[in-house]
PDB file of all heavy atoms in Angstrom:
ATOM      1  N   ASN A 282      -8.003   1.872 -30.254  1.00 77.00           N
ATOM      2  CA  ASN A 282      -8.905   2.595 -31.153  1.00 77.00           C
ATOM      3  C   ASN A 282     -10.374   2.321 -30.810  1.00 77.00           C
ATOM      4  O   ASN A 282     -11.222   2.137 -31.678  1.00 77.00           O
ATOM      5  CB  ASN A 282      -8.623   2.227 -32.609  1.00 77.00           C
ATOM      6  CG  ASN A 282      -7.234   2.661 -33.049  1.00 77.00           C
ATOM      7  OD1 ASN A 282      -6.678   3.615 -32.497  1.00 77.00           O
ATOM      8  ND2 ASN A 282      -6.668   1.969 -34.024  1.00 77.00           N
ATOM      9  N   GLY A 283     -10.648   2.230 -29.513  1.00 78.00           N
ATOM     10  CA  GLY A 283     -12.020   2.092 -29.032  1.00 78.00           C
ATOM     11  C   GLY A 283     -12.501   0.674 -28.843  1.00 78.00           C
ATOM     12  O   GLY A 283     -13.555   0.458 -28.242  1.00 78.00           O
ATOM     13  N   ALA A 284     -11.757  -0.316 -29.318  1.00 82.00           N
ATOM     14  CA  ALA A 284     -12.190  -1.709 -29.208  1.00 82.00           C
ATOM     15  C   ALA A 284     -11.348  -2.460 -28.175  1.00 82.00           C
ATOM     16  O   ALA A 284     -10.139  -2.247 -28.070  1.00 82.00           O
ATOM     17  CB  ALA A 284     -12.074  -2.398 -30.570  1.00 82.00           C
ATOM     18  N   ALA A 285     -11.994  -3.346 -27.408  1.00 84.00           N
ATOM     19  CA  ALA A 285     -11.280  -4.158 -26.428  1.00 84.00           C
ATOM     20  C   ALA A 285     -10.439  -5.207 -27.145  1.00 84.00           C
ATOM     21  O   ALA A 285     -10.935  -5.903 -28.044  1.00 84.00           O
ATOM     22  CB  ALA A 285     -12.263  -4.829 -25.488  1.00 84.00           C
ATOM     23  N   VAL A 286      -9.167  -5.320 -26.765  1.00 86.00           N
ATOM     24  CA  VAL A 286      -8.253  -6.257 -27.423  1.00 86.00           C
ATOM     25  C   VAL A 286      -7.359  -6.943 -26.398  1.00 86.00           C
ATOM     26  O   VAL A 286      -7.289  -6.542 -25.235  1.00 86.00           O
ATOM     27  CB  VAL A 286      -7.357  -5.534 -28.462  1.00 86.00           C
ATOM     28  CG1 VAL A 286      -8.178  -4.931 -29.574  1.00 86.00           C
ATOM     29  CG2 VAL A 286      -6.503  -4.451 -27.767  1.00 86.00           C
ATOM     30  N   PHE A 287      -6.664  -7.973 -26.865  1.00 89.00           N
ATOM     31  CA  PHE A 287      -5.638  -8.633 -26.065  1.00 89.00           C
ATOM     32  C   PHE A 287      -4.283  -8.126 -26.565  1.00 89.00           C
ATOM     33  O   PHE A 287      -3.914  -8.329 -27.722  1.00 89.00           O
ATOM     34  CB  PHE A 287      -5.724 -10.143 -26.220  1.00 89.00           C
ATOM     35  CG  PHE A 287      -4.554 -10.880 -25.614  1.00 89.00           C
ATOM     36  CD1 PHE A 287      -4.258 -10.753 -24.266  1.00 89.00           C
ATOM     37  CD2 PHE A 287      -3.752 -11.701 -26.387  1.00 89.00           C
ATOM     38  CE1 PHE A 287      -3.177 -11.424 -23.702  1.00 89.00           C
ATOM     39  CE2 PHE A 287      -2.675 -12.384 -25.835  1.00 89.00           C
ATOM     40  CZ  PHE A 287      -2.387 -12.240 -24.491  1.00 89.00           C
ATOM     41  N   ALA A 288      -3.556  -7.436 -25.700  1.00 87.00           N
ATOM     42  CA  ALA A 288      -2.251  -6.868 -26.074  1.00 87.00           C
ATOM     43  C   ALA A 288      -1.356  -6.847 -24.847  1.00 87.00           C
ATOM     44  O   ALA A 288      -1.826  -6.698 -23.720  1.00 87.00           O
ATOM     45  CB  ALA A 288      -2.422  -5.458 -26.628  1.00 87.00           C
ATOM     46  N   ILE A 289      -0.067  -7.002 -25.068  1.00 87.00           N
ATOM     47  CA  ILE A 289       0.910  -6.927 -23.980  1.00 87.00           C
ATOM     48  C   ILE A 289       2.086  -6.088 -24.438  1.00 87.00           C
ATOM     49  O   ILE A 289       2.695  -6.375 -25.475  1.00 87.00           O
ATOM     50  CB  ILE A 289       1.414  -8.321 -23.552  1.00 87.00           C
ATOM     51  CG1 ILE A 289       0.261  -9.160 -22.969  1.00 87.00           C
ATOM     52  CG2 ILE A 289       2.517  -8.192 -22.506  1.00 87.00           C
ATOM     53  CD1 ILE A 289       0.679 -10.537 -22.512  1.00 87.00           C
ATOM     54  N   GLU A 290       2.393  -5.056 -23.684  1.00 85.00           N
ATOM     55  CA  GLU A 290       3.576  -4.252 -23.986  1.00 85.00           C
ATOM     56  C   GLU A 290       4.807  -4.997 -23.482  1.00 85.00           C
ATOM     57  O   GLU A 290       4.875  -5.407 -22.324  1.00 85.00           O
ATOM     58  CB  GLU A 290       3.473  -2.871 -23.326  1.00 85.00           C
ATOM     59  CG  GLU A 290       4.576  -1.927 -23.756  1.00 85.00           C
ATOM     60  CD  GLU A 290       4.382  -0.518 -23.205  1.00 85.00           C
ATOM     61  OE1 GLU A 290       3.340  -0.260 -22.590  1.00 85.00           O
ATOM     62  OE2 GLU A 290       5.303   0.306 -23.386  1.00 85.00           O
ATOM     63  N   THR A 291       5.774  -5.180 -24.337  1.00 83.00           N
ATOM     64  CA  THR A 291       6.941  -5.990 -24.039  1.00 83.00           C
ATOM     65  C   THR A 291       7.839  -5.349 -22.978  1.00 83.00           C
ATOM     66  O   THR A 291       8.299  -4.221 -23.152  1.00 83.00           O
ATOM     67  CB  THR A 291       7.780  -6.218 -25.312  1.00 83.00           C
ATOM     68  OG1 THR A 291       6.927  -6.678 -26.348  1.00 83.00           O
ATOM     69  CG2 THR A 291       8.875  -7.227 -25.063  1.00 83.00           C
ATOM     70  N   PRO A 292       8.147  -6.071 -21.858  1.00 89.00           N
ATOM     71  CA  PRO A 292       9.030  -5.508 -20.841  1.00 89.00           C
ATOM     72  C   PRO A 292      10.494  -5.529 -21.246  1.00 89.00           C
ATOM     73  O   PRO A 292      11.295  -4.760 -20.736  1.00 89.00           O
ATOM     74  CB  PRO A 292       8.782  -6.398 -19.626  1.00 89.00           C
ATOM     75  CG  PRO A 292       8.352  -7.708 -20.198  1.00 89.00           C
ATOM     76  CD  PRO A 292       7.591  -7.370 -21.450  1.00 89.00           C
ATOM     77  N   ASN A 293      10.846  -6.435 -22.172  1.00 88.00           N
ATOM     78  CA  ASN A 293      12.212  -6.490 -22.705  1.00 88.00           C
ATOM     79  C   ASN A 293      12.169  -7.282 -24.015  1.00 88.00           C
ATOM     80  O   ASN A 293      11.156  -7.892 -24.365  1.00 88.00           O
ATOM     81  CB  ASN A 293      13.187  -7.125 -21.704  1.00 88.00           C
ATOM     82  CG  ASN A 293      12.772  -8.537 -21.327  1.00 88.00           C
ATOM     83  OD1 ASN A 293      12.793  -9.449 -22.143  1.00 88.00           O
ATOM     84  ND2 ASN A 293      12.380  -8.716 -20.064  1.00 88.00           N
ATOM     85  N   MET A 294      13.245  -7.291 -24.729  1.00 85.00           N
ATOM     86  CA  MET A 294      13.278  -7.891 -26.063  1.00 85.00           C
ATOM     87  C   MET A 294      13.228  -9.419 -26.035  1.00 85.00           C
ATOM     88  O   MET A 294      12.916 -10.059 -27.041  1.00 85.00           O
ATOM     89  CB  MET A 294      14.542  -7.437 -26.813  1.00 85.00           C
ATOM     90  CG  MET A 294      14.599  -5.931 -27.054  1.00 85.00           C
ATOM     91  SD  MET A 294      13.207  -5.338 -28.048  1.00 85.00           S
ATOM     92  CE  MET A 294      13.591  -6.107 -29.623  1.00 85.00           C
ATOM     93  N   GLU A 295      13.569 -10.054 -24.894  1.00 89.00           N
ATOM     94  CA  GLU A 295      13.629 -11.513 -24.827  1.00 89.00           C
ATOM     95  C   GLU A 295      12.351 -12.164 -24.318  1.00 89.00           C
ATOM     96  O   GLU A 295      12.184 -13.379 -24.405  1.00 89.00           O
ATOM     97  CB  GLU A 295      14.792 -11.950 -23.919  1.00 89.00           C
ATOM     98  CG  GLU A 295      16.181 -11.702 -24.479  1.00 89.00           C
ATOM     99  CD  GLU A 295      16.593 -10.242 -24.389  1.00 89.00           C
ATOM    100  OE1 GLU A 295      16.203  -9.595 -23.399  1.00 89.00           O
ATOM    101  OE2 GLU A 295      17.278  -9.764 -25.311  1.00 89.00           O
ATOM    102  N   CYS A 296      11.442 -11.375 -23.754  1.00 91.00           N
ATOM    103  CA  CYS A 296      10.256 -11.947 -23.118  1.00 91.00           C
ATOM    104  C   CYS A 296       9.329 -12.613 -24.137  1.00 91.00           C
ATOM    105  O   CYS A 296       9.044 -12.055 -25.198  1.00 91.00           O
ATOM    106  CB  CYS A 296       9.499 -10.860 -22.365  1.00 91.00           C
ATOM    107  SG  CYS A 296       8.116 -11.480 -21.401  1.00 91.00           S
ATOM    108  N   ILE A 297       8.865 -13.828 -23.803  1.00 90.00           N
ATOM    109  CA  ILE A 297       7.919 -14.527 -24.671  1.00 90.00           C
ATOM    110  C   ILE A 297       6.660 -14.868 -23.886  1.00 90.00           C
ATOM    111  O   ILE A 297       6.668 -14.952 -22.652  1.00 90.00           O
ATOM    112  CB  ILE A 297       8.516 -15.821 -25.266  1.00 90.00           C
ATOM    113  CG1 ILE A 297       8.834 -16.820 -24.143  1.00 90.00           C
ATOM    114  CG2 ILE A 297       9.728 -15.528 -26.112  1.00 90.00           C
ATOM    115  CD1 ILE A 297       9.230 -18.190 -24.663  1.00 90.00           C
ATOM    116  N   LEU A 298       5.554 -15.066 -24.593  1.00 90.00           N
ATOM    117  CA  LEU A 298       4.282 -15.461 -23.997  1.00 90.00           C
ATOM    118  C   LEU A 298       4.053 -16.939 -24.283  1.00 90.00           C
ATOM    119  O   LEU A 298       4.075 -17.360 -25.445  1.00 90.00           O
ATOM    120  CB  LEU A 298       3.140 -14.637 -24.581  1.00 90.00           C
ATOM    121  CG  LEU A 298       1.752 -14.888 -23.995  1.00 90.00           C
ATOM    122  CD1 LEU A 298       1.688 -14.408 -22.553  1.00 90.00           C
ATOM    123  CD2 LEU A 298       0.694 -14.203 -24.839  1.00 90.00           C
ATOM    124  N   GLN A 299       3.866 -17.734 -23.234  1.00 92.00           N
ATOM    125  CA  GLN A 299       3.643 -19.170 -23.385  1.00 92.00           C
ATOM    126  C   GLN A 299       2.175 -19.498 -23.126  1.00 92.00           C
ATOM    127  O   GLN A 299       1.590 -19.027 -22.143  1.00 92.00           O
ATOM    128  CB  GLN A 299       4.521 -19.959 -22.411  1.00 92.00           C
ATOM    129  CG  GLN A 299       6.009 -19.830 -22.686  1.00 92.00           C
ATOM    130  CD  GLN A 299       6.840 -20.739 -21.813  1.00 92.00           C
ATOM    131  OE1 GLN A 299       7.860 -21.268 -22.238  1.00 92.00           O
ATOM    132  NE2 GLN A 299       6.415 -20.928 -20.568  1.00 92.00           N
ATOM    133  N   VAL A 300       1.585 -20.305 -24.014  1.00 90.00           N
ATOM    134  CA  VAL A 300       0.196 -20.717 -23.861  1.00 90.00           C
ATOM    135  C   VAL A 300       0.098 -22.219 -24.127  1.00 90.00           C
ATOM    136  O   VAL A 300       1.038 -22.842 -24.631  1.00 90.00           O
ATOM    137  CB  VAL A 300      -0.728 -19.938 -24.834  1.00 90.00           C
ATOM    138  CG1 VAL A 300      -0.683 -18.449 -24.549  1.00 90.00           C
ATOM    139  CG2 VAL A 300      -0.350 -20.210 -26.289  1.00 90.00           C
ATOM    140  N   LYS A 301      -1.063 -22.792 -23.811  1.00 89.00           N
ATOM    141  CA  LYS A 301      -1.271 -24.212 -24.072  1.00 89.00           C
ATOM    142  C   LYS A 301      -1.211 -24.501 -25.576  1.00 89.00           C
ATOM    143  O   LYS A 301      -1.592 -23.660 -26.390  1.00 89.00           O
ATOM    144  CB  LYS A 301      -2.624 -24.651 -23.516  1.00 89.00           C
ATOM    145  CG  LYS A 301      -2.714 -24.637 -21.997  1.00 89.00           C
ATOM    146  CD  LYS A 301      -4.087 -25.119 -21.556  1.00 89.00           C
ATOM    147  CE  LYS A 301      -4.188 -25.167 -20.040  1.00 89.00           C
ATOM    148  NZ  LYS A 301      -5.528 -25.627 -19.600  1.00 89.00           N
ATOM    149  N   LYS A 302      -0.765 -25.695 -25.905  1.00 87.00           N
ATOM    150  CA  LYS A 302      -0.608 -26.082 -27.312  1.00 87.00           C
ATOM    151  C   LYS A 302      -1.904 -25.898 -28.093  1.00 87.00           C
ATOM    152  O   LYS A 302      -1.905 -25.350 -29.206  1.00 87.00           O
ATOM    153  CB  LYS A 302      -0.150 -27.529 -27.387  1.00 87.00           C
ATOM    154  CG  LYS A 302       0.002 -28.068 -28.809  1.00 87.00           C
ATOM    155  CD  LYS A 302       0.438 -29.519 -28.784  1.00 87.00           C
ATOM    156  CE  LYS A 302       0.553 -30.075 -30.204  1.00 87.00           C
ATOM    157  NZ  LYS A 302       0.969 -31.506 -30.185  1.00 87.00           N
ATOM    158  N   GLU A 303      -3.015 -26.322 -27.497  1.00 89.00           N
ATOM    159  CA  GLU A 303      -4.288 -26.268 -28.210  1.00 89.00           C
ATOM    160  C   GLU A 303      -4.826 -24.837 -28.361  1.00 89.00           C
ATOM    161  O   GLU A 303      -5.761 -24.597 -29.137  1.00 89.00           O
ATOM    162  CB  GLU A 303      -5.332 -27.147 -27.511  1.00 89.00           C
ATOM    163  CG  GLU A 303      -5.567 -26.824 -26.051  1.00 89.00           C
ATOM    164  CD  GLU A 303      -4.665 -27.617 -25.124  1.00 89.00           C
ATOM    165  OE1 GLU A 303      -3.560 -28.012 -25.558  1.00 89.00           O
ATOM    166  OE2 GLU A 303      -5.071 -27.827 -23.966  1.00 89.00           O
ATOM    167  N   GLN A 304      -4.252 -23.870 -27.600  1.00 87.00           N
ATOM    168  CA  GLN A 304      -4.705 -22.480 -27.677  1.00 87.00           C
ATOM    169  C   GLN A 304      -3.738 -21.589 -28.460  1.00 87.00           C
ATOM    170  O   GLN A 304      -3.975 -20.395 -28.610  1.00 87.00           O
ATOM    171  CB  GLN A 304      -4.873 -21.906 -26.261  1.00 87.00           C
ATOM    172  CG  GLN A 304      -5.755 -22.729 -25.340  1.00 87.00           C
ATOM    173  CD  GLN A 304      -7.140 -22.954 -25.910  1.00 87.00           C
ATOM    174  OE1 GLN A 304      -7.655 -22.126 -26.662  1.00 87.00           O
ATOM    175  NE2 GLN A 304      -7.753 -24.082 -25.558  1.00 87.00           N
ATOM    176  N   LEU A 305      -2.660 -22.183 -28.946  1.00 88.00           N
ATOM    177  CA  LEU A 305      -1.602 -21.397 -29.589  1.00 88.00           C
ATOM    178  C   LEU A 305      -2.139 -20.552 -30.741  1.00 88.00           C
ATOM    179  O   LEU A 305      -1.887 -19.340 -30.808  1.00 88.00           O
ATOM    180  CB  LEU A 305      -0.492 -22.321 -30.086  1.00 88.00           C
ATOM    181  CG  LEU A 305       0.691 -21.640 -30.791  1.00 88.00           C
ATOM    182  CD1 LEU A 305       1.373 -20.644 -29.867  1.00 88.00           C
ATOM    183  CD2 LEU A 305       1.690 -22.698 -31.280  1.00 88.00           C
TER     184      LEU A 305
END
Side-chain angles (χ1 to χ4, degrees):
N282 296 334
V286 297
F287 170 59
I289 296 181
E290 188 174 354
T291 310
N293 59 67
M294 297 300 292
E295 290 76 35
C296 186
I297 64 171
L298 183 68
Q299 295 186 144
V300 298
K301 292 181 178 180
K302 178 181 178 181
E303 56 269 27
Q304 307 304 330
L305 180 59

